[in-house]
Amino acid sequence: MPTDADSKSRATKGAALAMETRAALYAGSIAKYGATTPQVSLPGNEVGIPASMAEGYYTKALTAAQAIISGSAGAYALYNSKPNLSENFEALFYDKANNPEAIFVEDYKVGGGKTHYFTGWNQPRFGAEEEEGGRINPSLQLVQSFELLDGTYAPLANEVGGNPVYYDNIGDIFQGRDARLAGTVILPGTTFKSKPVDIWAGIVLADGSIVSGDSRGQEKTLPGGTEQVQVVGFDGPIDGLEFTAQSGFYIRKYQDPNTGSGRRGTQSDVWFIRYRFGEVLLNAAEAAFELGQPDVAAGYLNQVRARAGITTPLTGGDVDFDRIAHERYVELAFEGLHFFDLKRWRLAHIVLDGNPISEAEVTQNIGEATKRETQPYSIWPYKYHNPGDPNDGKYLYKILRLSRITGADRFQFGNYYSEIGQDLINNNPKLVRNPNQ
């Protein structure tokens, strides 16, 4: 295969090695962690991988990753083209002209017969080219998982001692965090296509009551006022009003900033990256950790974290399984890998155990791989109205679980393997049904 880092949508040596490191890593983790779920097995060993093979697969994963990292498969590297670290991470996913990080992609071409409508489906509604979008709303749990720049975990500071924290600017609550946050998520107070998003949920009065609306940008007269004023953002959020920022956020990753990308008649040709150098570094880190090489793992993790602006490097002593899982969670969000990470680590039935979670649980144990994620929580910004008070006109945030979130995600043991259809078993009676199905 050609050693050509400039070829992104054709098979290359780099693409083959990237596939190998991912496949071997998955095999190694199934071999190691499969032992923790004896319920997911069959007496004839038709599923699973023997634990004795874990080290061999982790070695293959690390070797393949290091071949890419060394440059023997082509000149791949982390994308570092913009001085603003959040804008840099955002651009990684749409910049086709100068992108050494993309290894293998599914490409598109406006005017070339292949486009997609991801931006149209997910752009902020207010001022959108088709006045539609907002389908993916990142959860509070994901947003608060992005560390502070010193490498520590902290929930968003919406309260201290039960009292609200007031912010001069709506986006101040997100300051000082991992740059990947603003590169992954459209936050209140930011822009998309140079237009400010208008995400705020209502006005809090001095007595704690809330004035809001049931339509975007609605106006009302406040107590003691004589004129109508806007009481909710044009992007919402409004509980139950679909396609507004229900969680308080929109997705930014893979959104196309070009004019026309949110228009049905034009659409977008942003590529979807199937393998990239950032994942290769994380694969190498995980494989090295599992092989008892924490210092090597820390070196690979630090490359990814430094690009995100994290100022405190990890040492080998800092690297544990939780750290490996966390770094994949924030770096690879919305890239189609997290669910399969939970499956290969045999954690899906623990993280998605079918039980509701409380607000207190949401803000605890950030960074733990086994933290339950059965229900998405939201955090909404409000304006404070109390003329004469020093906090008048400032912003505060409230955490909530939306009224339509009545169930809790449950991953059953039978979900670890795909179902073999009864028609296939009828055609071949030697096939064995997968476990728990």
Side-chain angles (χ1 to χ4, degrees):
M1 288 183 174
T3 304
D4 182 6
D6 294 325
S7 179
K8 306 294 187 183
S9 58
R10 295 287 185 271
T12 61
K13 183 177 181 180
L17 286 168
M19 180 181 290
E20 180 182 4
T21 185
R22 185 191 291 178
L25 185 68
Y26 280 34
S29 52
I30 290 172
K32 178 176 180 178
Y33 297 104
T36 67
T37 51
Q39 307 94 323
V40 189
S41 62
L42 292 170
N45 296 319
E46 290 86 355
V47 299
I49 298 173
S52 61
M53 299 181 71
E55 182 176 348
Y57 278 120
Y58 284 130
T59 301
K60 286 180 180 288
L62 182 57
T63 300
Q66 289 176 330
I68 298 173
I69 295 167
S70 70
S72 65
Y76 298 104
L78 290 175
Y79 179 91
N80 278 302
S81 295
K82 295 181 179 294
N84 182 292
L85 298 183
S86 293
E87 293 177 2
N88 182 74
F89 192 71
E90 172 192 354
L92 153 63
F93 298 95
Y94 62 72
D95 184 359
K96 298 182 180 183
N98 178 32
N99 198 329
E101 183 156 350
I103 297 174
F104 188 64
V105 307
E106 181 176 359
D107 209 353
Y108 296 80
K109 179 69 174 177
V110 168
K114 186 178 182 182
T115 57
H116 61 79
Y117 201 50
F118 185 85
T119 299
W121 287 326
N122 295 295
Q123 62 195 339
R125 292 292 302 276
F126 180 47
E129 290 165 324
E130 292 283 1
E131 187 59 19
E132 64 173 311
R135 283 169 169 76
I136 296 177
N137 298 167
S139 69
L140 167 60
Q141 288 99 315
L142 172 66
V143 169
Q144 71 176 4
S145 293
F146 290 87
E147 299 162 59
L148 301 179
L149 292 177
D150 64 2
T152 57
Y153 298 117
L156 296 176
N158 71 305
E159 288 186 354
V160 173
N163 298 313
V165 177
Y166 297 93
Y167 291 95
D168 293 331
N169 302 298
I170 194 170
D172 287 351
I173 192 174
F174 308 107
Q175 296 303 305
R177 287 189 179 258
D178 183 330
R180 291 172 292 191
L181 170 57
T184 303
V185 177
I186 295 177
L187 305 167
T190 60
T191 63
F192 180 67
K193 294 188 179 180
S194 301
K195 296 179 181 178
V197 295
D198 192 36
I199 300 173
W200 55 284
I203 294 177
V204 175
L205 303 179
D207 63 0
S209 61
I210 295 173
V211 179
S212 187
D214 53 13
S215 62
R216 295 184 295 124
Q218 189 170 347
E219 295 184 350
K220 291 183 178 179
T221 302
L222 298 179
T226 58
E227 298 181 356
Q228 287 198 330
V229 296
Q230 184 181 344
V231 296
V232 65
F234 279 95
D235 281 310
I238 299 167
D239 191 359
L241 183 61
E242 62 181 358
F243 308 138
T244 62
Q246 288 288 284
S247 64
F249 312 104
Y250 291 113
I251 184 175
R252 188 180 295 277
K253 185 177 280 189
Y254 281 120
Q255 294 261 32
D256 189 340
N258 289 325
T259 300
S261 59
R263 187 179 302 131
R264 288 186 176 274
T266 306
Q267 301 195 26
S268 173
D269 60 7
V270 164
W271 58 20
F272 289 107
I273 301 175
R274 303 309 182 195
Y275 298 100
R276 63 179 177 94
F277 191 76
E279 183 203 346
V280 170
L281 288 172
L282 296 184
N283 291 349
E286 183 178 344
F289 166 74
E290 296 290 5
L291 291 169
Q293 303 173 33
D295 291 334
V296 174
Y300 292 133
L301 292 173
N302 284 334
Q303 292 184 51
V304 176
R305 290 165 62 80
R307 177 174 65 176
I310 306 296
T311 58
T312 305
L314 298 172
T315 67
D318 298 322
V319 179
D320 56 13
F321 180 79
D322 283 339
R323 175 60 63 184
I324 294 290
H326 164 79
E327 206 60 45
R328 293 183 66 88
Y329 182 48
V330 295
E331 172 74 19
L332 304 173
F334 302 111
E335 294 181 49
L337 299 175
H338 178 59
F339 182 61
F340 295 98
D341 282 345
L342 294 179
K343 290 181 71 172
R344 66 185 176 89
W345 292 327
R346 293 298 191 256
L347 292 180
H349 68 285
I350 298 173
V351 173
L352 303 170
D353 66 359
N355 293 310
I357 52 179
S358 67
E359 179 180 327
E361 288 180 89
V362 169
T363 57
Q364 296 170 354
N365 304 319
I366 299 172
E368 290 189 5
T370 54
K371 179 179 172 66
R372 296 192 305 115
E373 301 289 355
T374 59
Q375 295 174 313
Y377 268 71
S378 306
I379 185 166
W380 287 3
Y382 294 84
K383 294 181 180 180
Y384 185 60
H385 178 75
N386 186 8
D389 187 281
N391 292 316
D392 179 55
K394 294 185 179 182
Y395 292 89
L396 63 145
Y397 280 78
K398 293 180 179 290
I399 295 174
L400 67 158
R401 187 174 69 192
L402 299 180
S403 62
R404 294 192 179 187
I405 298 175
T406 56
D409 292 330
R410 182 187 177 202
F411 184 99
Q412 302 181 69
F413 284 113
N415 299 132
Y416 276 111
Y417 287 96
S418 299
E419 181 181 5
I420 300 175
Q422 186 60 49
D423 57 334
L424 298 176
I425 294 175
N426 292 341
N427 289 335
N428 183 357
K430 292 188 176 182
L431 289 176
V432 178
R433 193 180 302 276
N434 276 333
N436 304 297
Q437 296 180 354

